[in-house]
Amino acid sequence: MGDTANTKAAGRAPERGSTGHTAAGRVARLGMLLGVALALYAVESALPSPFPFLRIGLANIATLIALITLGLADALAITVLRVIVASLVVGTFLGPGFGLAMAGGVAGVVGMGLAARLALPPLSVVGVSVVGAVLHNLAQLGVLSGFYTGPGPALRLLPVALLVSAATGLATGLIALFALEKLGLVRR
Amino acid sequence: MAGDRTLLTFADRLVLYVLVGAALVLFTMGGGQGDGATVRITGDGGFEYLAPLGSDTIVEVKGPLGTTVVGVADGEARVLSSPCPHELCVKTGRPRPMR
């Protein structure tokens, strides 16, 4: 707000960053998407899950929209803040679940950022989402293997994790694509 | 409407095919199957016992208060008796998955 007031007082248009947003607009969108990510996390937590590790990753929809509209740094900020806030709310902050969620979240968003930068196109938003889901699950298996179970159980879970990644990355990617299209931010 | 548009690009499909293919290959190589889980029981003086959950057994573990008896049956391990005053480990009963 202060920046906007200063630039108006100076008779200049607000400066826009590389993504075309003013600083205030970027912060507003960042906050809104963080709220959406937390709401989606809460909704998913209320859904019954047959296995603890089998999660759709609905919050990734907000991360993916942030990545496409704001960039990697802001998407990473949303992911880190979402994991911290959610863990504080449910009481798992700095516990094993927190470490797994943070490792998976950071790996997923960095993977999506690289895929978006290097291969969008030929990949679409859906393909970027699948890449993120795979790296999310691989990072979690890596932490599980390195700190808790050793390589055996993690390797046995690997094929299941790959199939789950394909399905959940596809689902969240399609939802994010529809949302981005409705918002007029991408065209097929 | 969008009849001529496809949701997934060729590259998207390629990524999905590679993932499913890799998962199937890993499955056929033996991944995704349990090789018979084991329970690791540790005690004083470096005592360590690996008990396969597939076979029933009873393990006695010596500790500072006395001997704790662990039973393995039906693929589960549980404490049958303990010299501790409240026997919380015995009352815990069947193990439940961590959340």
Side-chain angles (χ1 to χ4, degrees):
Chain A
M1 292 296 282
D3 286 349
T4 309
N6 288 340
T7 50
K8 276 185 182 169
R12 295 183 277 116
E15 288 183 16
R16 293 175 184 275
S18 58
T19 54
H21 298 96
T22 62
R26 180 176 148 261
V27 171
R29 189 170 283 202
L30 197 64
M32 186 191 70
L33 286 170
L34 175 60
V36 170
L38 285 165
L40 289 172
Y41 175 83
V43 168
E44 185 169 348
S45 299
L47 297 176
S49 172
F51 304 106
F53 59 87
L54 189 60
R55 294 180 63 85
I56 306 169
L58 290 177
N60 194 48
I61 296 166
T63 309
L64 194 49
I65 292 172
L67 179 69
I68 300 299
T69 60
L70 296 172
L72 176 58
D74 288 344
L76 193 57
I78 285 177
T79 300
V80 170
L81 289 171
R82 191 252 307 160
V83 172
I84 291 173
V85 173
S87 68
L88 286 171
V89 170
V90 299
T92 58
F93 184 59
L94 297 183
F98 173 82
L100 286 170
M102 186 63 85
V106 169
V109 77
V110 169
M112 288 197 301
L114 289 175
R117 181 162 296 179
L118 302 174
L120 181 70
L123 287 177
S124 74
V125 171
V126 181
V128 171
S129 172
V130 172
V131 170
V134 171
L135 288 176
H136 180 279
N137 279 341
L138 288 182
Q140 290 201 328
L141 284 182
V143 171
L144 196 70
S145 163
F147 291 95
Y148 300 108
T149 64
L155 280 174
R156 282 196 293 278
L157 279 174
L158 184 57
V160 180
L162 291 179
L163 289 177
V164 169
S165 303
T168 57
L170 183 65
T172 55
L174 286 172
I175 296 170
L177 179 62
F178 285 129
L180 286 164
E181 282 188 335
K182 286 288 179 192
L183 294 168
L185 297 170
V186 296
R187 288 195 193 124
R188 269 186 281 147
Chain B
M1 286 278 290
D4 59 335
R5 294 188 303 175
T6 53
L7 286 171
L8 304 179
T9 65
F10 174 74
D12 293 340
R13 289 201 186 96
L14 194 62
V15 169
L16 288 169
Y17 293 149
V18 168
L19 277 178
V20 174
L24 291 176
V25 168
L26 287 168
F27 264 123
T28 56
M29 287 171 62
Q33 300 168 7
D35 60 352
T38 56
V39 60
R40 186 166 67 104
I41 302 166
T42 58
D44 273 2
F47 173 85
E48 180 170 323
Y49 184 84
L50 287 173
L53 286 173
S55 57
D56 298 354
T57 185
I58 289 180
V59 185
E60 294 188 349
V61 189
K62 287 191 170 40
L65 297 177
T67 301
T68 299
V69 181
V70 180
V72 179
D74 301 327
E76 295 173 347
R78 58 177 290 186
V79 179
L80 299 177
S81 71
S82 169
C84 58
H86 302 296
E87 294 198 321
L88 290 176
C89 48
V90 178
K91 290 168 186 165
T92 300
R94 294 177 59 232
R96 283 176 287 269
M98 284 197 307
R99 288 182 184 271

